[in-house]
Amino acid sequence: MRRLTVARSLLIGAALSLAVGCGGGDGGDGTPHFIDETATAGIDHQYTGEFAYFVGGGVAAFDCNGDTRDELFIAGGSSPAALYRNDSKVGGTLQFTALPSPVTDLTDVTGAYPLDIDADNETDLMVLRRGAGNVLLRGLGDCRFEDATASLGIYPGGAWTVAFSAMWEGDASLPTLAFGNYLAPDGDTCGDSELVRPNGSTYDTPITLSPSYCTLSVLFSDWGRTGQRDLRMANDRHYYLDGSEQLWKIPAGKSPTLYTEADGWKPLQIWGMGIASHDLTGDGKPEVFITSQGDNKLQTLDTGATGPTYHDIAVDRGVTAAQPYAGGDVLPSTAWHPEFEDVNNDGFIDLFVTKGNVQAQVDNAKLDPSNLLMGQPDGTFVERAEQAGVTAYDKARGAALVDLNLDGLLDMVVVNREANITIRRNVGDGNAEHPALAGHWLQVQVHQPGPNANAIGGWLQVKVGDRIIERELTIGGGHAGGKLGWIHTGLGDAVSAEVRMQWPDGELGPWMPVTADTFITIDRASDQPTTFVPKD
C-alpha cells in the first residue's frame, strides 16, 4: 500500500460519528448485523468452470489507487478475472466500479494475493492460474498494472496453482515465494509445489517441494516465535494415500526439508482446504486453523514443545463446524476459506469459514452455509451466522473480511462458484440507515524502509488494559486469496490503547499511546504513530 499523508488530527466527521455501546447485535449477544448489498454494489461476477475449477475462487483485497480503500480483484475460473475499484463513501453503502483491462482480465485464474514485491509503495498482484501460467502483475499506480513475470524471472509453470505465500529472507531485495500446486498438468496426479528464491534483482529456478500431496493452501509463519519462518501446507487427501499435512523447514539460504516425527511433527491426514493462524491462547505463538471436509482442525503447540508438536483443540473451542448449522442437511460440511478477525469490535477474535459442496458430492452436504463463529471472553466460539444475517446456500469459496467503507466495521466479501459474488456491509448494532458500532477499534498499517516495506513477518502488538493482542503480518493462507492493507483490532469498551511493532528482524519498537477509533501508521523511522483521516 502507498504510504499515507501524515495527518495528526483525530478521526472525526459526521460519516464516522457512530454510536458506541456495550451491548450488541441481535438480542444483545454482541452479534453484528450484515446487510446484503450485492444487488446495489455494482459487482456482477461469478467463479465458473467445470472440474478444473472445482477448487480455487479467491479474492484479493488491496488499495491500488492510494485512497486507502480496498479494491477487489476476483478470480473467474473459466470466465475472466475482474478488478473492481472501491468507490464507497466513508461510512456509506458499498459501491464499486469495474476496471476492465486486458492486463487484469485474465482467464484460468484460480486466485490472487497482493504484495509489494519491489518496495515501490505500489501494491502488486501474484495471480494464480490453472494450466496457463501464473502471472506477477506489477502495480503502476491508479489501479494500472503491467505483466512483470518475465522481467523478474518468475517461472510461470503450467500446473493447477491455487495457493501462495511470501516472506523476506535476510536482506534480500525480493521476497521468497511459495506456490502450492494442486494437480499436475495432466490433471490426474498431485502437482509438485515450489519454492522460489531471489538471486539479486530476479528469481532463480524453482526448488521442487517433493513429495507434494495436492496442496490447497500454504503459509509462511514463525510458528515457534523463534524468528524462523517455515512453510505450512494444507493438502487434500482425496488424491493421496500415503501423504499428510506438511510443515517445511525453510532455513535462510539453505535447502528446504520436511519436519518429521523425529522433530515432533505428528502426521495428520485431512481434506486440507485453507489455513488461518492467530494467537488465541496469549502465549505469543499462533494457533493454526485448517479447513477440511467434515470436522475442521484447530491446532496449538504442546506445552513445553521444542519442536512443532501440536494437538487439536477444535472441540474444546467449539470450531469443528463439521455439519451445517442450518438448512436441514445432516451430511458433513465442506469448508474452504478461514479468516480470523474481530467483526464486532469487542476485543475477542472471531472466525469466518466459507462452506460449499465441491460440486455435487453425494456424501457431503448440499445445503452448506458458511460459519460466523463469534469469539467469547473464555476463548470459545459460538455460531452466530443466522443472527448476523449471513446464512446463504451458494457454493462459497474464497472470501475477505475488510473495512470497505472505512467506518471501523469489517465488511464481508464472498466468492461463489457459479453464482454472483456476495457483498455484505457490516452495520454493527444498527441497521442500513443508521449503523452503530458495538465496540471501539483501531486500524493500523506499518512501513519500514528498503525491501519488505510492509514488514511482512513482523508482529503488531496492541495493549488493551492488561491484555496484549498480537497479529503476525503474513502473506498467504486462506483459500486462493488474501489481503494487504489496514490491520484491524477491536478494542471493546477501551477508548485508548498502546501499540508497538516487533519488526521482522526481531527488533522491538517502543510502546506508543493511541486513541480508539482511529487509522494510524507505524513507521520504523519514527517513535510516534501518525493518524490518518479518511475522506470521500
Side-chain angles (χ1 to χ4, degrees):
M1 178 182 290
R2 182 184 293 122
R3 294 180 68 181
L4 301 176
T5 303
V6 173
R8 291 188 177 275
S9 58
L10 296 180
L11 184 60
I12 57 175
L16 292 182
S17 295
L18 304 180
V20 177
C22 297
D26 191 4
D29 61 5
T31 304
H33 297 150
F34 285 85
I35 306 298
D36 190 334
E37 296 189 343
T38 306
T40 58
I43 298 182
D44 183 10
H45 188 83
Q46 298 185 17
Y47 182 70
T48 64
E50 296 305 317
F51 168 75
Y53 304 102
F54 283 2
V55 303
V59 56
F62 62 104
D63 173 28
C64 61
N65 61 3
D67 67 356
T68 76
R69 292 164 175 80
D70 280 319
E71 275 70 51
L72 301 175
F73 179 82
I74 313 166
S78 61
S79 301
L83 176 64
Y84 284 86
R85 186 184 65 224
N86 187 350
D87 295 327
S88 306
K89 302 296 184 182
V90 177
T93 59
L94 306 181
Q95 299 289 327
F96 291 84
T97 299
L99 299 178
S101 166
V103 179
T104 53
D105 295 351
L106 302 169
T107 57
D108 306 298
V109 173
T110 60
Y113 289 80
L115 73 165
D116 186 355
I117 198 169
D118 51 6
D120 64 352
N121 297 314
E122 297 289 351
T123 303
D124 312 303
L125 273 177
M126 190 68 244
V127 180
L128 310 180
R129 304 174 78 192
R130 190 269 178 191
N134 303 318
V135 175
L136 190 283
L137 296 181
R138 178 187 283 128
L140 302 176
D142 197 27
C143 293
R144 296 174 298 113
F145 295 86
E146 66 178 5
D147 187 337
T149 314
S151 63
L152 286 172
I154 298 175
Y155 176 66
W160 185 345
T161 307
V162 292
F164 176 77
S165 190
M167 69 167 177
W168 274 256
E169 294 185 87
D171 59 359
S173 60
L174 295 170
T176 294
L177 312 177
F179 294 90
N181 293 325
Y182 188 50
L183 297 185
D186 62 17
D188 294 323
T189 58
C190 291
D192 282 332
S193 295
E194 296 168 326
L195 183 78
V196 187
R197 282 184 164 130
N199 183 5
S201 60
T202 59
Y203 280 94
D204 271 337
T205 302
I207 300 170
T208 299
L209 297 175
S210 182
S212 293
Y213 299 117
C214 293
T215 302
L216 285 172
S217 188
V218 298
L219 180 66
F220 285 117
S221 174
D222 183 2
W223 57 268
R225 204 62 184 273
T226 63
Q228 170 70 38
R229 296 169 190 94
D230 296 318
L231 184 65
R232 186 83 181 234
M233 286 189 166
N235 300 317
D236 183 2
R237 69 177 294 182
H238 181 73
Y239 285 96
Y240 66 74
L241 298 176
D242 56 348
S244 70
E245 300 292 284
Q246 293 170 305
L247 181 65
W248 286 89
K249 186 184 302 182
I250 314 289
K254 298 181 180 179
S255 298
T257 57
L258 276 171
Y259 283 95
T260 67
E261 290 186 71
D263 302 309
W265 178 254
K266 299 176 182 177
L268 174 66
Q269 292 185 323
I270 59 173
W271 289 268
M273 307 284 201
I275 301 171
S277 67
H278 189 80
D279 176 20
L280 300 176
T281 62
D283 65 354
K285 300 175 183 178
E287 276 63 49
V288 181
F289 185 82
I290 313 169
T291 55
S292 180
Q293 290 186 298
D295 61 326
N296 302 287
K297 303 298 181 184
L298 177 62
Q299 295 190 317
T300 188
L301 282 169
D302 286 359
T303 301
T306 57
T309 307
Y310 287 86
H311 64 276
D312 192 76
I313 56 172
V315 174
D316 294 341
R317 295 298 179 108
V319 295
T320 55
Q323 294 172 302
Y325 59 85
D329 204 324
V330 298
L331 292 173
S333 281
T334 302
W336 299 91
H337 177 90
E339 191 166 340
F340 284 111
E341 288 289 0
D342 186 353
V343 297
N344 63 348
N345 292 336
D346 66 353
F348 301 105
I349 204 74
D350 309 309
L351 175 61
F352 180 62
V353 182
T354 64
K355 296 280 190 71
N357 197 291
V358 172
Q359 180 64 12
Q361 289 189 338
V362 297
D363 293 330
N364 292 86
K366 294 180 177 61
L367 297 177
D368 200 3
S370 300
N371 298 95
L372 182 61
L373 298 156
M374 303 295 297
Q376 307 299 302
D378 64 358
T380 62
F381 292 80
V382 178
E383 179 60 64
R384 288 289 183 266
E386 286 188 289
Q387 293 88 335
V390 301
T391 299
Y393 297 98
D394 296 316
K395 298 183 183 73
R397 292 297 191 263
L401 297 174
V402 284
D403 184 359
L404 294 170
N405 61 357
L406 302 181
D407 65 353
L409 292 163
L410 294 174
D411 307 301
M412 184 181 293
V413 180
V414 179
V415 180
N416 299 308
R417 176 167 163 72
E418 299 177 324
N420 193 29
I421 190 171
T422 305
I423 305 287
R424 296 186 178 98
R425 178 163 62 106
N426 187 346
V427 297
D429 279 350
N431 53 44
E433 291 73 30
H434 302 287
L437 295 176
H440 294 286
W441 51 271
L442 183 70
Q443 299 208 56
V444 182
Q445 67 171 11
V446 298
H447 184 273
Q448 65 177 3
N452 192 12
N454 299 115
I456 302 304
W459 289 77
L460 174 66
Q461 301 177 344
V462 181
K463 184 187 295 185
V464 186
D466 59 356
R467 293 180 62 221
I468 296 179
I469 302 168
E470 297 198 69
R471 299 293 298 262
E472 184 181 20
L473 279 58
T474 61
I475 292 171
H479 183 77
K483 57 191 182 182
L484 182 67
W486 294 111
I487 306 161
H488 176 275
T489 302
L491 302 179
D493 294 331
V495 296
S496 64
E498 292 181 85
V499 298
R500 74 175 178 183
M501 271 294 296
Q502 181 177 30
W503 299 97
D505 61 5
E507 180 182 344
L508 269 174
W511 284 111
M512 298 175 286
V514 293
T515 303
D517 306 333
T518 55
F519 295 84
I520 67 167
T521 297
I522 299 175
D523 196 304
R524 191 164 186 172
S526 175
D527 61 359
Q528 294 295 325
T530 57
T531 303
F532 172 75
V533 180
K535 299 178 181 178
D536 290 331

